[in-house]
Amino acid sequence: MKKMATIIGAVVAVGLGIAWKIFAPSAQVEVMNAAGAGWNDARSDLMGQISTTITTEYAVFALPAGVTTKISECIVDKSIEFLNKSDCSYLYNPETTTEAEHLANQEKCLEKVKFEDVQGGYTVECSKAHFPDDWAIMGKIFAGEFEASFAQNGVDAASAKTMGTCVGDKLTALMNTRKNPLVNKEAKKPEDLLFTLDTYIKDYEADKEFQDILTACGPKEEAAQ
Protein backbone atom coordinates (compact mmCIF):
# COMPACT_ATOMS: atom_id res chain seq x y z
CA MET A 1 0.00 0.00 0.00
CA LYS A 2 1.21 3.48 -0.82
CA LYS A 3 2.10 5.92 1.92
CA MET A 4 -1.05 6.78 3.81
CA ALA A 5 -1.66 10.49 4.27
CA THR A 6 -3.31 10.90 7.63
CA ILE A 7 -6.08 13.48 7.89
CA ILE A 8 -6.50 15.06 11.27
CA GLY A 9 -9.68 17.09 11.63
CA ALA A 10 -8.57 20.70 12.03
CA VAL A 11 -9.76 22.32 15.21
CA VAL A 12 -12.06 25.14 14.26
CA ALA A 13 -11.91 28.37 16.21
CA VAL A 14 -15.21 29.29 17.81
CA GLY A 15 -16.16 32.52 16.06
CA LEU A 16 -19.27 33.91 17.69
CA GLY A 17 -21.49 36.69 16.45
CA ILE A 18 -22.53 37.85 19.90
CA ALA A 19 -26.01 39.31 20.07
CA TRP A 20 -26.85 39.16 23.75
CA LYS A 21 -28.15 41.87 26.00
CA ILE A 22 -29.84 42.58 29.28
CA PHE A 23 -32.33 45.37 29.75
CA ALA A 24 -31.13 47.30 32.79
CA PRO A 25 -31.23 50.84 34.18
CA SER A 26 -28.19 53.03 33.51
CA ALA A 27 -27.00 52.81 37.12
CA GLN A 28 -27.01 49.01 37.05
CA VAL A 29 -25.19 48.96 33.73
CA GLU A 30 -22.53 51.33 34.97
CA VAL A 31 -22.05 49.54 38.28
CA MET A 32 -21.72 46.07 36.76
CA ASN A 33 -19.40 47.22 33.97
CA ALA A 34 -17.25 49.15 36.44
CA ALA A 35 -17.05 46.08 38.65
CA GLY A 36 -15.85 43.99 35.72
CA ALA A 37 -18.93 41.79 35.89
CA GLY A 38 -21.04 43.05 33.01
CA TRP A 39 -20.59 39.87 30.96
CA ASN A 40 -21.21 37.42 33.80
CA ASP A 41 -24.87 37.12 32.90
CA ALA A 42 -23.92 36.06 29.37
CA ARG A 43 -22.52 32.76 30.65
CA SER A 44 -25.56 30.68 29.78
CA ASP A 45 -25.76 32.09 26.25
CA LEU A 46 -22.04 31.71 25.68
CA MET A 47 -22.02 28.17 27.02
CA GLY A 48 -24.91 27.14 24.82
CA GLN A 49 -23.34 28.41 21.61
CA ILE A 50 -19.78 27.36 22.35
CA SER A 51 -20.83 23.90 23.55
CA THR A 52 -22.84 23.33 20.37
CA THR A 53 -19.93 24.43 18.18
CA ILE A 54 -17.29 22.38 20.00
CA THR A 55 -19.47 19.27 20.15
CA THR A 56 -20.16 19.52 16.42
CA GLU A 57 -16.59 20.23 15.36
CA TYR A 58 -15.08 17.55 17.60
CA ALA A 59 -17.60 14.85 16.68
CA VAL A 60 -14.93 13.27 14.43
CA PHE A 61 -12.99 12.29 17.55
CA ALA A 62 -13.97 9.44 19.88
CA LEU A 63 -13.71 11.66 22.96
CA PRO A 64 -14.59 10.38 26.43
CA ALA A 65 -17.77 11.74 28.00
CA GLY A 66 -17.42 15.20 29.45
CA VAL A 67 -14.40 16.35 27.47
CA THR A 68 -16.26 18.75 25.18
CA THR A 69 -18.05 20.19 28.21
CA LYS A 70 -14.75 20.87 29.97
CA ILE A 71 -13.32 22.50 26.85
CA SER A 72 -16.44 24.63 26.43
CA GLU A 73 -16.46 25.72 30.08
CA CYS A 74 -12.80 26.64 29.81
CA ILE A 75 -13.44 28.79 26.71
CA VAL A 76 -16.44 30.44 28.35
CA ASP A 77 -14.50 31.29 31.52
CA LYS A 78 -11.63 32.84 29.58
CA SER A 79 -13.97 34.67 27.21
CA ILE A 80 -15.97 36.26 30.04
CA GLU A 81 -12.78 37.28 31.84
CA PHE A 82 -11.53 38.94 28.66
CA LEU A 83 -14.83 40.64 27.84
CA ASN A 84 -15.25 41.99 31.37
CA LYS A 85 -11.90 43.74 30.97
CA SER A 86 -12.84 45.18 27.59
CA ASP A 87 -14.88 48.28 26.84
CA CYS A 88 -17.53 46.15 25.15
CA SER A 89 -20.83 46.03 27.00
CA TYR A 90 -23.21 43.12 27.33
CA LEU A 91 -25.73 45.25 29.23
CA TYR A 92 -27.61 48.28 28.02
CA ASN A 93 -30.29 50.70 29.10
CA PRO A 94 -33.35 50.60 26.80
CA GLU A 95 -34.31 54.10 27.98
CA THR A 96 -31.30 55.61 26.23
CA THR A 97 -30.31 53.00 23.62
CA THR A 98 -32.33 50.86 21.26
CA GLU A 99 -31.60 47.17 20.91
CA ALA A 100 -30.44 47.68 17.33
CA GLU A 101 -28.04 50.45 18.39
CA HIS A 102 -26.72 48.35 21.25
CA LEU A 103 -26.05 45.31 19.07
CA ALA A 104 -24.41 47.40 16.35
CA ASN A 105 -22.12 49.06 18.90
CA GLN A 106 -21.40 45.73 20.54
CA GLU A 107 -20.41 44.16 17.23
CA LYS A 108 -18.09 47.05 16.37
CA CYS A 109 -16.50 46.84 19.80
CA LEU A 110 -15.93 43.09 19.57
CA GLU A 111 -14.30 43.53 16.18
CA LYS A 112 -12.13 46.31 17.57
CA VAL A 113 -10.78 44.12 20.38
CA LYS A 114 -10.40 41.20 17.92
CA PHE A 115 -12.54 38.98 20.11
CA GLU A 116 -12.96 36.25 17.49
CA ASP A 117 -9.17 35.86 17.19
CA VAL A 118 -8.79 35.94 20.97
CA GLN A 119 -11.45 33.28 21.38
CA GLY A 120 -9.80 31.16 18.70
CA GLY A 121 -6.68 31.20 20.85
CA TYR A 122 -8.73 30.11 23.85
CA THR A 123 -10.11 27.22 21.80
CA VAL A 124 -6.59 25.92 21.15
CA GLU A 125 -5.48 26.58 24.73
CA CYS A 126 -8.47 24.83 26.27
CA SER A 127 -8.31 21.93 23.84
CA LYS A 128 -4.64 21.34 24.70
CA ALA A 129 -5.56 21.33 28.38
CA HIS A 130 -8.41 18.83 28.12
CA PHE A 131 -7.83 16.64 25.05
CA PRO A 132 -6.78 13.15 26.22
CA ASP A 133 -3.32 12.21 24.99
CA ASP A 134 -4.71 8.90 23.80
CA TRP A 135 -4.59 7.78 20.17
CA ALA A 136 -7.84 5.87 20.71
CA ILE A 137 -9.72 9.12 20.05
CA MET A 138 -8.37 8.94 16.48
CA GLY A 139 -9.92 5.52 15.84
CA LYS A 140 -12.91 6.80 13.84
CA ILE A 141 -10.73 9.05 11.71
CA PHE A 142 -8.21 6.32 10.92
CA ALA A 143 -10.98 3.82 10.21
CA GLY A 144 -12.64 6.22 7.78
CA GLU A 145 -9.40 7.01 5.99
CA PHE A 146 -8.45 3.39 5.49
CA GLU A 147 -11.99 2.41 4.58
CA ALA A 148 -11.88 5.00 1.80
CA SER A 149 -8.45 3.79 0.70
CA PHE A 150 -9.55 0.16 0.49
CA ALA A 151 -12.71 1.13 -1.38
CA GLN A 152 -10.68 3.13 -3.90
CA ASN A 153 -8.59 0.03 -4.50
CA GLY A 154 -11.62 -2.04 -5.47
CA VAL A 155 -12.69 -3.56 -2.16
CA ASP A 156 -16.48 -3.80 -1.78
CA ALA A 157 -18.08 -1.32 0.61
CA ALA A 158 -18.94 -3.76 3.42
CA SER A 159 -15.47 -5.32 3.44
CA ALA A 160 -13.76 -1.94 3.18
CA LYS A 161 -15.65 -0.76 6.28
CA THR A 162 -14.70 -3.88 8.25
CA MET A 163 -11.07 -3.61 7.19
CA GLY A 164 -10.96 0.11 7.95
CA THR A 165 -12.29 -0.46 11.46
CA CYS A 166 -9.73 -3.21 11.98
CA VAL A 167 -6.85 -0.96 10.91
CA GLY A 168 -8.18 1.92 13.02
CA ASP A 169 -8.32 -0.21 16.16
CA LYS A 170 -4.90 -1.80 15.68
CA LEU A 171 -3.20 1.42 14.60
CA THR A 172 -4.38 3.42 17.60
CA ALA A 173 -3.21 0.59 19.86
CA LEU A 174 0.19 0.59 18.12
CA MET A 175 0.66 4.34 18.54
CA ASN A 176 -0.27 4.13 22.22
CA THR A 177 2.17 1.25 22.68
CA ARG A 178 4.91 3.34 21.14
CA LYS A 179 3.99 6.14 23.56
CA ASN A 180 4.09 8.78 20.84
CA PRO A 181 2.31 11.93 22.08
CA LEU A 182 -0.85 12.86 20.20
CA VAL A 183 -1.50 16.31 21.65
CA ASN A 184 1.00 18.99 20.72
CA LYS A 185 1.30 20.96 23.95
CA GLU A 186 3.26 23.66 22.11
CA ALA A 187 0.55 24.27 19.51
CA LYS A 188 -0.42 27.87 18.88
CA LYS A 189 -2.68 27.25 15.88
CA PRO A 190 -5.67 24.89 15.49
CA GLU A 191 -4.01 22.92 12.70
CA ASP A 192 -1.05 22.13 14.97
CA LEU A 193 -3.06 20.83 17.93
CA LEU A 194 -2.61 17.15 17.14
CA PHE A 195 0.36 15.29 15.74
CA THR A 196 -0.21 13.15 12.65
CA LEU A 197 0.98 9.66 11.84
CA ASP A 198 3.48 11.20 9.45
CA THR A 199 5.18 12.82 12.45
CA TYR A 200 6.25 9.42 13.73
CA ILE A 201 6.06 7.05 10.76
CA LYS A 202 8.45 8.47 8.20
CA ASP A 203 8.38 5.46 5.85
CA TYR A 204 5.16 3.42 5.88
CA GLU A 205 6.59 0.77 3.56
CA ALA A 206 9.55 0.15 5.87
CA ASP A 207 7.58 0.15 9.13
CA LYS A 208 7.10 -3.57 9.87
CA GLU A 209 4.47 -3.13 12.57
CA PHE A 210 2.40 -0.89 10.31
CA GLN A 211 2.70 -3.41 7.46
CA ASP A 212 1.73 -6.20 9.84
CA ILE A 213 -1.51 -4.34 10.57
CA LEU A 214 -2.29 -4.09 6.86
CA THR A 215 -1.58 -7.78 6.46
CA ALA A 216 -3.86 -8.68 9.36
CA CYS A 217 -6.71 -6.37 8.36
CA GLY A 218 -6.51 -5.75 4.62
CA PRO A 219 -6.64 -7.84 1.47
CA LYS A 220 -3.44 -9.76 0.82
CA GLU A 221 -2.83 -8.04 -2.47
CA GLU A 222 -3.07 -4.64 -0.81
CA ALA A 223 -0.72 -5.51 2.03
CA ALA A 224 1.79 -7.00 -0.38
CA GLN A 225 2.21 -3.80 -2.43
Side-chain angles (χ1 to χ4, degrees):
M1 178 175 282
K2 300 300 183 181
K3 182 177 180 179
M4 177 63 63
T6 305
I7 294 180
I8 302 293
V11 180
V12 179
V14 184
L16 294 176
I18 299 180
W20 303 302
K21 66 285 180 188
I22 287 182
F23 299 101
S26 294
Q28 181 181 349
V29 172
E30 292 175 4
V31 168
M32 292 190 70
N33 285 342
W39 283 88
N40 289 8
D41 288 331
R43 181 174 298 277
S44 178
D45 288 327
L46 276 167
M47 187 63 189
Q49 291 202 28
I50 290 175
S51 179
T52 296
T53 301
I54 291 296
T55 299
T56 299
E57 295 298 336
Y58 288 179
V60 295
F61 304 108
L63 293 171
V67 171
T68 56
T69 298
K70 290 180 180 179
I71 293 173
S72 300
E73 289 174 341
C74 174
I75 297 171
V76 169
D77 289 343
K78 291 179 180 295
S79 296
I80 290 177
E81 181 179 5
F82 173 83
L83 290 168
N84 277 335
K85 292 178 181 178
S86 74
D87 292 328
C88 304
S89 181
Y90 172 74
L91 308 170
Y92 80 100
N93 179 8
E95 296 297 326
T96 59
T97 307
T98 67
E99 180 177 353
E101 289 172 337
H102 169 69
L103 296 180
N105 290 333
Q106 187 185 79
E107 182 177 357
K108 288 180 182 178
C109 186
L110 292 172
E111 290 177 354
K112 181 180 178 181
V113 299
K114 301 184 184 302
F115 177 62
E116 188 168 322
D117 292 339
V118 169
Q119 196 174 64
Y122 293 155
T123 304
V124 176
E125 185 179 340
C126 293
S127 295
K128 287 192 298 185
H130 295 290
F131 247 67
D133 206 3
D134 182 351
W135 285 86
I137 69 172
M138 299 298 298
K140 292 194 298 183
I141 295 176
F142 290 161
E145 283 296 295
F146 281 92
E147 176 185 346
S149 179
F150 289 133
Q152 289 171 3
N153 283 276
V155 177
D156 66 89
S159 297
K161 184 175 183 62
T162 299
M163 293 174 186
T165 299
C166 177
V167 174
D169 291 343
K170 291 182 179 296
L171 188 53
T172 56
L174 173 63
M175 298 307 291
N176 279 332
T177 298
R178 291 181 175 183
K179 300 188 182 305
N180 296 134
L182 171 62
V183 181
N184 178 8
K185 296 298 186 180
E186 304 302 318
K188 302 296 183 183
K189 300 181 295 184
E191 58 268 29
D192 296 331
L193 177 62
L194 302 179
F195 291 116
T196 67
L197 286 178
D198 291 348
T199 305
Y200 303 110
I201 303 179
K202 302 301 183 182
D203 186 342
Y204 288 85
E205 299 290 345
D207 192 299
K208 184 179 182 304
E209 290 179 306
F210 175 80
Q211 291 299 320
D212 286 345
I213 290 174
L214 295 185
T215 299
C217 296
K220 296 258 193 290
E221 61 271 23
E222 286 291 315
Q225 291 181 6

